[in-house]
Amino acid sequence: MRFHTFLLKYGEIGIKGKNRYLFEDALVRQVRFALRDVVGEFQVYKSQARIYVDCEGEYDFEETVEHLKRVFGIVGICPVVRMEDKGFDELKKDVVAYMDELYPDKKMTFKVEARRARKTYPRTSMEINCDIGEAILEAFPDIRVDVHQPDVMLHIEVRDCIYVYSKIIPGPGGMPVGTNGKAMLLLSGGIDSPVAGYMIAKRGVGIEATYFHAPPYTSERAKQKVVDLARLVSRYSGPVKLHVVNFTDIQLYIYDQCPHDELTIIMRRYMMRIAEHFAKKDGCLGLITGESIGQVASQTMQSLAATNDVCTLPVYRPVIGFDKQEIVDIAEKIGTFETSIQPFEDCCTIFVAKHPVTKPNVEVIRRSEEKLSEKIDELVDKALETVEIIEIK
């Protein structure tokens, strides 16, 4: 069957009151962006609290749906057949033909749900429900009506044209990206941080990212893995500006000067400082990490407090209460898991102590960092100056 239009249903946007149009406009922009690489001509517009995508000419239905399923703010994607208003008798024939083609097995229940947006139409919504329902029952004796829990809910919307649909493909929900500012993601090659970026983007936040590279201890393949992860996240978040920071000299200096059981915490504190520098420079409103309480030594409550200590921007940790399997499930859903488990080391795993401190004292950590005072500022400045920027689109 040829679907001429997609009706896109939104959720939370509907309760935004007088500001709703801002979110609708953002959703329209995001849909246009998502469909830019899909073959076909698409007209995206809003009308009477609805978002429509009209598909002109030939297009790939499956590819179009896949791209729409990545647009935050959409809760339902409804493939619609658009029918000209040629009178009610013709409408009944067209709807019967629609049901016959879409549902070959007629042993099912249904309900008609009409919406008469064009009030000059000669039949009321209730009359449309009854008369269309009667026509379907006459055409297909095996079909039954169930007004409470039907197998098929047949929607008919009377506008300039008449829109008929009966399937709702789930969308990702959330809010359109860009409606809640921008934040900086600390992106590693692991499973957790891409999921964290996805989850924050789902709340309408634009994403930039910082990756800490440690050549020659981490390879170019490890860096490419992170670029690939950023690209996978960008399918949902839109373009990502990725900062690749050479962290080798800072790591080696910390390793030489500080107690080894504190290495991971001090290293994380400098990562947060550097990421925050780029965040402030680019107008980000917070940092994002993939930390989950207790997952590793650097993610105990005391360790998180120690890393937070160096930040002035808020730090958002969307997977903070998830166990590993819950994070893996989301990674598999969004397509980052297979890339994340590729066996390329990142800088967090190179200089790990055998017995890292799990309950660091912030005052003790600060005193340890005083041992770095001779060269650390110079090394940080060098890392900031030599950052590589990769635009992920």
Side-chain angles (χ1 to χ4, degrees):
M1 173 163 285
R2 165 84 164 122
F3 294 104
H4 309 93
T5 296
F6 291 95
L7 165 61
L8 307 180
K9 299 194 171 195
Y10 52 68
E12 291 179 66
I13 293 174
I15 62 173
K16 291 300 179 184
K18 294 180 180 179
N19 288 329
R20 187 172 73 182
Y21 77 96
L22 297 172
F23 293 88
E24 289 175 336
D25 291 346
L27 183 55
V28 167
R29 289 194 298 271
Q30 288 295 315
V31 171
R32 287 173 180 159
F33 180 80
L35 296 178
R36 73 197 187 287
D37 294 329
V38 180
V39 175
E41 292 185 24
F42 304 96
Q43 299 296 323
V44 186
Y45 59 96
K46 64 178 183 177
S47 175
Q48 296 177 303
R50 294 282 201 275
I51 307 292
Y52 293 97
V53 180
D54 287 347
C55 310
E56 307 300 337
E58 294 299 317
Y59 73 99
D60 188 318
F61 176 84
E62 298 296 337
E63 185 183 13
T64 303
V65 169
E66 281 305 306
H67 280 69
L68 291 173
K69 285 166 73 173
R70 299 174 193 155
V71 179
F72 293 130
I74 297 174
V75 299
I77 304 162
C78 309
V80 173
V81 172
R82 198 167 65 235
M83 301 176 180
E84 291 184 31
D85 184 4
K86 299 177 181 177
F88 194 70
D89 288 340
E90 284 299 315
L91 177 62
K92 286 194 290 186
K93 292 177 185 177
D94 290 342
V95 171
V96 167
Y98 171 93
M99 292 293 287
D100 191 28
E101 184 174 347
L102 217 57
Y103 302 100
D105 182 6
K106 302 299 188 296
K107 293 182 179 179
M108 63 184 188
T109 60
F110 80 104
K111 177 185 177 181
V112 181
E113 187 73 46
R115 187 169 187 263
R116 190 183 62 153
R118 175 158 48 102
K119 299 307 180 186
T120 57
Y121 194 74
R123 278 177 168 77
T124 66
S125 297
M126 188 59 70
E127 289 170 342
I128 296 170
N129 290 342
C130 294
D131 293 345
I132 294 291
E134 183 180 19
I136 292 171
L137 289 171
E138 287 178 357
F140 311 116
D142 289 338
I143 290 183
R144 296 287 181 269
V145 173
D146 184 342
V147 297
H148 300 294
Q149 290 184 311
D151 297 323
V152 174
M153 179 71 81
L154 178 65
H155 296 269
I156 300 173
E157 295 197 3
V158 180
R159 300 179 180 275
D160 294 336
C161 293
I162 297 174
Y163 297 86
V164 178
Y165 64 96
S166 58
K167 292 188 175 181
I168 302 178
I169 302 164
M175 301 294 291
V177 173
T179 56
N180 276 311
K182 185 169 59 172
M184 179 65 71
L185 171 67
L186 279 81
L187 182 62
S188 72
I191 297 170
D192 305 337
S193 58
V195 170
Y198 163 86
M199 291 182 66
I200 288 289
K202 186 175 180 179
R203 299 309 307 157
V205 179
I207 298 294
E208 291 196 11
T210 301
Y211 164 61
F212 293 91
H213 192 40
Y217 302 99
T218 55
S219 65
E220 283 300 306
R221 291 293 300 275
K223 173 181 163 184
Q224 185 58 46
K225 173 183 171 182
V226 172
V227 172
D228 292 342
L229 287 171
R231 185 165 288 113
L232 291 169
V233 172
S234 75
R235 296 191 305 175
Y236 297 91
S237 69
V240 174
K241 182 180 179 181
L242 176 63
H243 303 73
V244 179
V245 178
N246 188 325
F247 203 57
T248 308
D249 291 344
I250 295 173
Q251 272 191 296
L252 290 173
Y253 189 52
I254 294 171
Y255 187 83
D256 288 341
Q257 300 296 321
C258 296
H260 285 191
D261 63 340
E262 298 173 1
L263 174 64
T264 302
I265 295 298
I266 295 173
M267 179 182 72
R268 290 288 295 175
R269 282 163 63 93
Y270 276 95
M271 286 180 172
M272 299 295 259
R273 289 179 172 107
I274 291 170
E276 186 173 80
H277 169 86
F278 295 125
K280 289 180 175 179
K281 184 178 178 182
D282 288 356
C284 295
L285 301 176
L287 304 177
I288 310 163
T289 77
E291 292 161 316
S292 170
I293 291 176
Q295 191 175 125
V296 293
S298 63
Q299 296 177 19
T300 63
M301 290 288 279
Q302 294 88 343
S303 296
L304 296 178
T307 53
N308 271 16
D309 177 60
V310 301
C311 300
T312 57
L313 289 178
V315 182
Y316 300 106
R317 297 179 169 96
V319 300
I320 192 75
F322 286 19
D323 63 32
K324 195 66 178 184
Q325 188 57 51
E326 290 172 314
I327 299 171
V328 166
D329 290 344
I330 297 174
E332 289 178 332
K333 182 181 80 170
I334 66 176
T336 57
F337 179 73
E338 291 300 326
T339 302
S340 291
I341 61 173
Q342 291 175 2
F344 305 117
E345 300 279 356
D346 63 34
C347 68
C348 294
T349 58
I350 301 298
F351 298 100
V352 176
K354 290 183 178 180
H355 303 289
V357 60
T358 58
K359 296 181 180 179
N361 181 292
V362 173
E363 294 301 326
V364 173
I365 296 296
R366 288 174 182 166
R367 285 197 296 273
S368 295
E369 286 183 344
E370 290 174 3
K371 301 172 185 176
L372 304 171
S373 59
E374 183 179 348
K375 288 177 59 179
I376 194 66
D377 290 343
E378 175 189 338
L379 294 175
V380 169
D381 287 343
K382 180 182 176 184
L384 297 177
E385 290 167 5
T386 59
V387 64
E388 178 187 3
I389 304 294
I390 302 176
E391 298 286 350
I392 309 290
K393 297 183 179 179

